[in-house]
């Protein structure tokens, strides 16, 4: 399973992972420049790492996340989350058009919820493949 995840991650990195991670890095840079939004920048960097290498990992709710995470996610959706989710949607379309890219298109669509609400979640390893979540 680990070899399969490695192969999927390498293919993912080539086809869309690098470009999507770049989008999250740009969002993080903007958040760091604005200083008040540094927590959003940290969350964006965490997602960028997940987007670079998603197979063999998943996200789970953090038990200590509270109302602050909810408020932060609302702000995130308004300023950055919607365009990152749109980028996932747009990059999934050409992947769906090729037979080989269909699993990567689904993987891209499965990343939309975390791109919309990253606060209060953490990335953890999993034994399941990406399609099993």
């Amino acid at each position: 399973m680990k070899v399969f995840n490695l192969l999927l991650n390498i293919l993912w990195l080539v086809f869309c992972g690098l470009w999507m991670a770049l989008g999250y890095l740009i969002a993080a840079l903007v958040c760091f420049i604005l200083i008040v939004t540094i927590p959003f920048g940290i969350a964006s960097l965490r997602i960028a790492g997940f987007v670079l290498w998603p197979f063999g990992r998943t996200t789970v709710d953090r038990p200590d996340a509270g109302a602050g995470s909810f408020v932060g996610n609302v702000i995130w959706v308004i300023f950055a989350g919607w365009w990152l989710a749109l980028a996932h949607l747009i990059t999934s379309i050409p992947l769906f058009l090729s037979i080989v890219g269909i699993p990567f298109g689904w993987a891209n669509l499965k990343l939309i919820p975390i791109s919309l609400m990253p606060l209060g979640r953490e990335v953890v390893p999993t034994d399941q493949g990406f399609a099993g979540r």
Side-chain angles (χ1 to χ4, degrees), residues 75-131:
I75 294 168
W76 173 263
V77 166
I78 292 169
F79 291 105
W82 70 270
W83 64 267
L84 290 166
L86 182 64
H88 280 294
L89 182 65
I90 290 171
T91 56
S92 70
I93 293 170
L95 292 169
F96 278 121
L97 294 176
S98 68
I99 292 174
V100 175
I102 291 173
F104 299 113
W106 279 117
N108 230 338
L109 292 180
K110 288 182 177 187
L111 287 167
I112 289 176
I114 189 72
S115 71
L116 288 172
M117 296 188 291
L119 300 174
R121 309 221 13 116
E122 66 180 316
V123 178
V124 296
T126 183
D127 291 334
Q128 293 180 326
F130 198 79

Side-chain angles (χ1 to χ4, degrees), residues 44-59:
S44 187
L45 286 178
R46 185 176 57 246
I47 301 169
F50 181 52
V51 168
L52 271 175
W53 211 253
F55 295 96
R57 300 191 301 166
T58 190
T59 60

